[in-house]
Amino acid sequence: MSSSVSNSHPSTPPSNPLRYDPSVETPEADEAETAAALADTLLSISKTTYKDGGHGLRSVHAKSHGLLVGQLEVLDGLPPVLAQGMFARADRYPVVMRLSTTPGDILPDSVSTPRGFAIKVMGVPGERLPGSERQTTQDFVLVNGPVFAVPDGKTFLGNLKLLAATTDRAPTAKKVVSAGLRGAEAVVEAFGGQSVTLKTMGGEPERHILGERFYSQVPIRYGEYMAKVSVVPVSDELMALSGAPLNVNGKPDGLREAVVDFFGRTGGTWELRVQLCTDLETMPIENAAVEWPEEKSPYVTVARITVEPQTAWSPERSKAGDDRLSFSPWHGLAAHRPLGSIMRMRRHAYEMSARFRAERNGDDLGEPDGSFRLPA
């Protein structure tokens, strides 16, 4: 049974997007040292989980809840400011997608943390980013919140050191703490707000992962311009899950079970939207903790992702999708170069994490082409 789409977001871009210029990025003087320390800290998480479990895991987003194959369709007739990079012309591409949660250790889902949605578009032609010259993939790494938890790489390093110190320790205590943080977040949301800090620490509301909107949180080049990216469910079946509670207490893999159940019965459709930068004061490139105001520049639709019913997770799929694939915003076109401190930090850190997993698990992490398929 295929999904049905009940609404579509208009593709009406702002009239005054700013053109990309290298001067929009201002690296700190000691950024290289910070990046090296951050990569080492992430690697220490993988080393800890490997020592305890004997299997190479991602330093973050270690646990997958769904591994999906589908198709991305670039919309026809996009206006020039949107017809940029891989979206320059109408086309269809195969995609593989991975749903996850943020910790680097495998925890029961009642330790409720932000959710991730990584998308790998395959068979994309064009000039490549450094280090991906022989590849034909374009990755988008997204989380279910519009802003990053911290403004820059240095603050990210400090937070990550605290996370590394608790990796693979006291999962029962983490469940108790998470329940308390969810209560605190519920109070904040009852008054119309939300706390990125509470959610990151374990206070993510217990909602169905397939009803979430996902965001790049940090910007990329969008051809001649700059943008953030969002993926939004639009099919009736997915939209019905928006904000839907999902009790996973007593179900260590409750999120995965819900995803498998859903795609065993029906498919789903998302729209990929971009938010063009129109003002560097209110839409900064280097401060990842600032939400770009949608009243100045709304998210507009440039593509649609469709997934048919399928086996959304299995041990065989996990071997192919978790162990043999890596997702990084640095897998992509020069036209979609990652921007800002957080993005620059990710490059080396993600490369080291992927290399560690490949070496420990004996896997080849070469980027797939359009013929790649996940096992049923």
Side-chain angles (χ1 to χ4, degrees), residues 204-331:
E204 183 70 37
E206 288 185 304
R207 294 190 289 244
H208 202 299
I209 192 171
L210 294 178
E212 300 282 5
R213 296 186 176 201
F214 293 90
Y215 302 83
S216 66
Q217 300 185 326
V218 282
I220 61 172
R221 278 194 65 175
Y222 192 74
E224 297 180 17
Y225 306 98
M226 301 165 286
K228 291 186 179 183
V229 178
S230 178
V231 169
V232 180
V234 295
S235 59
D236 291 340
E237 297 85 354
L238 288 174
M239 290 177 63
L241 300 176
S242 177
L246 183 67
N247 188 346
V248 296
N249 292 294
K251 297 180 179 180
D253 300 321
L255 290 174
R256 182 183 299 162
E257 292 169 9
V259 173
V260 169
D261 175 70
F262 179 90
F263 284 106
R265 295 180 285 105
T266 188
T269 303
W270 294 263
E271 287 182 351
L272 189 149
R273 302 173 182 174
V274 297
Q275 182 187 28
L276 296 174
C277 181
T278 61
D279 173 23
L280 290 175
E281 290 296 320
T282 58
M283 307 170 80
I285 300 300
E286 293 292 351
N287 189 336
V290 173
E291 184 174 358
W292 289 7
E294 291 194 50
E295 61 270 21
K296 285 197 170 184
S297 179
Y299 280 94
V300 291
T301 303
V302 295
R304 185 174 294 112
I305 299 170
T306 303
V307 169
E308 296 297 330
Q310 58 192 273
T311 302
W313 197 96
S314 69
E316 294 76 20
R317 279 207 165 197
S318 179
K319 181 66 177 173
D322 289 330
D323 291 351
R324 294 177 182 156
L325 291 181
S326 64
F327 295 86
S328 168
W330 289 92
H331 298 158

Side-chain angles (χ1 to χ4, degrees), residues 26 99 102 134 145 283:
T26 53
L99 289 153
T102 54
R134 297 184 180 182
M283 307 170 80

Side-chain angles (χ1 to χ4, degrees), residues 165-210:
T166 65
T167 297
D168 226 17
R169 293 184 183 176
T172 301
K174 288 179 180 178
K175 288 195 289 186
V176 174
V177 171
S178 182
L181 291 170
R182 286 196 303 273
E185 174 62 18
V187 171
V188 173
E189 293 191 4
F191 286 91
Q194 59 178 310
S195 168
V196 176
T197 301
L198 287 174
K199 290 182 177 182
T200 302
M201 293 170 61
E204 183 70 37
E206 288 185 304
R207 294 190 289 244
H208 202 299
I209 192 171
L210 294 178

Side-chain angles (χ1 to χ4, degrees), residues 42-252:
L42 281 170
L43 191 60
S44 73
I45 294 174
S46 290
K47 288 179 177 178
T48 296
T49 55
Y50 181 77
K51 180 182 66 177
D52 292 340
H55 192 77
L57 300 174
R58 287 169 169 78
S59 302
V60 289
H61 292 274
K63 187 175 184 178
S64 68
H65 306 292
L67 295 158
L68 304 167
V69 291
Q71 186 177 77
L72 181 145
E73 178 185 4
V74 177
L75 301 187
D76 195 10
L78 292 174
V81 294
L82 296 179
Q84 301 283 324
M86 69 164 282
F87 307 99
R89 66 177 186 275
D91 211 337
R92 295 173 182 264
Y93 301 99
V95 296
V96 58
M97 304 184 292
R98 183 177 186 267
L99 289 153
S100 62
T101 37
T102 54
D105 42 355
I106 305 297
L107 297 170
D109 292 345
S110 53
V111 180
S112 189
T113 56
R115 291 87 185 275
F117 195 14
I119 303 168
K120 187 178 293 294
V121 189
M122 296 173 284
V124 181
E127 181 186 352
R128 306 292 303 177
L129 287 165
S132 71
E133 288 86 356
R134 297 184 180 182
Q135 303 168 5
T136 59
T137 53
Q138 175 65 55
D139 289 5
F140 298 101
V141 179
L142 314 170
V143 180
N144 67 322
V147 295
F148 203 70
V150 295
D152 53 40
K154 187 169 291 187
T155 313
F156 184 31
L157 173 61
N159 285 15
L160 197 63
K161 287 180 176 180
L162 295 175
L163 178 65
T166 65
T167 297
D168 226 17
R169 293 184 183 176
T172 301
K174 288 179 180 178
K175 288 195 289 186
V176 174
V177 171
S178 182
L181 291 170
R182 286 196 303 273
E185 174 62 18
V187 171
V188 173
E189 293 191 4
F191 286 91
Q194 59 178 310
S195 168
V196 176
T197 301
L198 287 174
K199 290 182 177 182
T200 302
M201 293 170 61
E204 183 70 37
E206 288 185 304
R207 294 190 289 244
H208 202 299
I209 192 171
L210 294 178
E212 300 282 5
R213 296 186 176 201
F214 293 90
Y215 302 83
S216 66
Q217 300 185 326
V218 282
I220 61 172
R221 278 194 65 175
Y222 192 74
E224 297 180 17
Y225 306 98
M226 301 165 286
K228 291 186 179 183
V229 178
S230 178
V231 169
V232 180
V234 295
S235 59
D236 291 340
E237 297 85 354
L238 288 174
M239 290 177 63
L241 300 176
S242 177
L246 183 67
N247 188 346
V248 296
N249 292 294
K251 297 180 179 180

